[in-house]
């Protein structure tokens, strides 16, 4: 069952269409919402309940915090307020005076997607100066491709994840050291489920590689309530080395607007630019994995400690 400890509430009144303008702070004591289900995530349309007040979960919005950082806030439709209002809910323990609240909310801009494709913090990316943690990369750094070229980092996308607001696609996959080939990856590699690993001429989503034999899901209970993942964008859809293993760079299957620092991208480049996909077939489900590759990885997994 997913839960959310709510601390403060702000009402937004319908302006037109799907846009709601700030109205007022709503007086209500902190309490815990739950979705009464067993899936550990809030999904759009879920009725989440507390103190006999029914709230329909509509999505989340990323808000900046004074002094740096962001917070992911819930947006819902309350049974206790007018039908032309929506409510933004900040988590308990956060002083609302330190949060920049939006003047208006467009429901079409809420994050309702569970599609995430990124590296976990600490992933080692090969660069011209050696291996660096992905979170330490900066625009202009040179990263090493699988074929030995040096390509410039155009942007590092950061996405804050609260697992309770995401579905299975936000789950993380751990690829154990040596599970892909001898010595690859060279350390345990954790990526999101839809991040593409490049193997034997295919781009394979990590979730499709899960075999319980060196490649497995990270249990939801092992994930923190809040964590950040990172994606590396270059000028092309490249293959870089993550903990030594061939892995894709950003491809715009996922809108850049889903990243916390999307405004930075727009400030730098002024508009979104499409990236042509590399000419390799993509495998997005386990049933599409060729038998030879499945057998090879299964055999490799037996060598993983």
């Amino acid at each position: 069952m997913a839960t959310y400890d709510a601390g403060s509430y702000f009402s937004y009144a319908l302006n037109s269409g799907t846009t709601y303008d700030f109205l007022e702070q709503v007086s209500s004591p902190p309490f815990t919402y739950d979705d009464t289900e067993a899936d550990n995530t809030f999904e759009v349309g879920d009725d989440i309940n507390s103190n006999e007040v029914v709230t329909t979960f509509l999505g989340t919005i990323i808000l900046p915090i004074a002094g740096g950082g962001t917070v992911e806030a819930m947006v819902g439709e309350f049974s206790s307020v007018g039908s032309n209002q929506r409510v933004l809910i900040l988590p308990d323990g956060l002083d609302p005076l330190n949060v920049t609240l939006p003047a208006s909310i467009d429901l079409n801009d809420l994050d309702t997607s569970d599609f995430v494709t990124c590296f976990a913090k600490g992933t080692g990316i090969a660069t011209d100066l050696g291996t660096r943690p992905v979170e330490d990369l900066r625009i202009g750094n040179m990263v090493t491709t699988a074929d030995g070229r040096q390509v410039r980092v155009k942007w590092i996308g950061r996405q804050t994840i609260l697992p309770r607001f995401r579905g299975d696609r936000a789950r993380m996959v751990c690829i154990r050291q040596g599970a892909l080939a001898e010595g690859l990856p060279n350390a345990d590699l954790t990526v999101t489920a839809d991040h593409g690993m490049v193997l034997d001429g295919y781009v394979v989503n990590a979730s499709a590689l899960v075999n319980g034999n060196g490649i497995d899901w990270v249990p939801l209970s092992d994930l923190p309530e809040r964590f950040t993942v990172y994606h590396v964008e270059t000028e092309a859809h490249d293959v870089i080395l993550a903990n030594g293993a061939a892995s894709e760079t950003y491809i715009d299957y996922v809108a850049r607007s889903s990243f916390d620092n999307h405004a930075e991208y727009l400030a730098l480049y002024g508009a979104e630019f499409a990236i042509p996909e590399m000419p390799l077939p993509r495998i997005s489900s386990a049933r599409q994995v060729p038998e030879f590759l499945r057998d090879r990885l299964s055999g490799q997994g037996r060598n993983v400690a």
Side-chain angles (χ1 to χ4, degrees):
M1 179 174 63
T3 61
Y4 183 81
D5 294 325
S8 48
Y9 312 80
F10 301 88
S11 179
Y12 285 72
L14 179 65
N15 180 324
S16 63
T18 58
T19 301
Y20 292 75
D21 294 337
F22 180 82
L23 182 62
E24 61 184 354
Q25 183 168 0
V26 179
S27 177
S28 183
F31 51 74
T32 300
Y33 289 95
D34 67 70
D35 68 347
T36 71
E37 298 178 355
D39 58 3
N40 294 311
T41 60
F42 290 113
E43 297 171 344
V44 174
D46 276 356
D47 285 336
I48 52 179
N49 305 279
S50 183
N51 291 2
E52 300 181 353
V53 175
V54 177
T55 302
T56 301
F57 176 63
L58 301 177
T60 63
I61 184 171
I62 299 293
L63 302 175
I65 300 174
T70 59
V71 62
E72 188 167 23
M74 177 189 291
V75 177
E77 179 179 355
F78 273 40
S79 63
S80 58
V81 300
S83 60
N84 66 337
Q85 295 182 26
R86 299 295 182 264
V87 178
L88 183 151
I89 311 167
L90 293 180
D92 192 23
L94 181 65
D95 185 345
L97 295 178
N98 291 329
V99 180
T100 302
L101 297 172
S104 62
I105 295 174
D106 188 333
L107 299 186
N108 289 330
D109 291 337
L110 295 182
D111 188 350
T112 60
S113 172
D114 58 10
F115 198 106
V116 189
T117 58
C118 297
F119 298 109
K121 181 178 180 180
T123 299
I125 304 297
T127 78
D128 61 333
L129 299 177
T131 300
R132 297 181 61 182
V134 64
E135 66 271 21
D136 289 348
L137 291 178
R138 297 293 182 266
I139 294 170
N141 289 161
M142 304 300 289
V143 293
T144 305
T145 64
D147 60 4
R149 294 177 295 115
Q150 300 295 325
V151 296
R152 177 181 176 273
V153 173
K154 182 175 181 178
W155 188 57
I156 301 293
R158 301 189 308 272
Q159 190 170 24
T160 302
I161 305 300
L162 278 73
R164 60 191 163 192
F165 291 136
R166 309 284 175 167
D168 283 346
R169 283 185 169 181
R171 293 183 66 185
M172 307 297 286
V173 174
C174 179
I175 303 172
R176 296 285 303 280
Q177 180 178 352
L180 300 179
E182 187 66 31
L184 294 177
N186 55 30
D188 289 358
L189 173 64
T190 301
V191 296
T192 49
D194 284 308
H195 191 92
M197 304 301 299
V198 181
L199 296 166
D200 297 353
Y202 296 91
V203 181
V204 189
N205 288 5
S207 59
L209 295 172
V210 170
N211 58 12
N213 191 21
I215 307 174
D216 217 335
W217 296 106
V218 177
L220 285 173
S221 59
D222 289 353
L223 295 175
E225 289 189 2
R226 173 189 176 96
F227 61 95
T228 302
V229 291
Y230 303 83
H231 218 324
V232 180
E233 179 172 344
T234 58
E235 289 292 341
H237 187 207
D238 285 309
V239 183
I240 59 175
L241 301 175
N243 289 2
S247 179
E248 69 177 341
T249 57
Y250 174 78
I251 182 70
D252 44 6
Y253 286 153
V254 183
R256 294 180 184 89
S257 59
S258 66
F259 291 92
D260 299 354
N261 56 331
H262 178 235
E264 175 190 56
Y265 183 93
L266 293 179
L268 288 168
Y269 303 111
E272 301 274 351
F273 291 93
I275 299 176
E277 187 173 12
M278 69 179 72
L280 295 179
R282 179 176 290 271
I283 295 174
S284 57
S285 68
R287 63 179 177 79
Q288 297 173 319
V289 177
E291 185 175 359
F292 81 88
L293 179 55
R294 186 165 51 246
D295 290 346
R296 181 175 74 76
L297 293 177
S298 179
Q300 190 65 35
R302 288 193 288 270
N303 299 323
V304 174

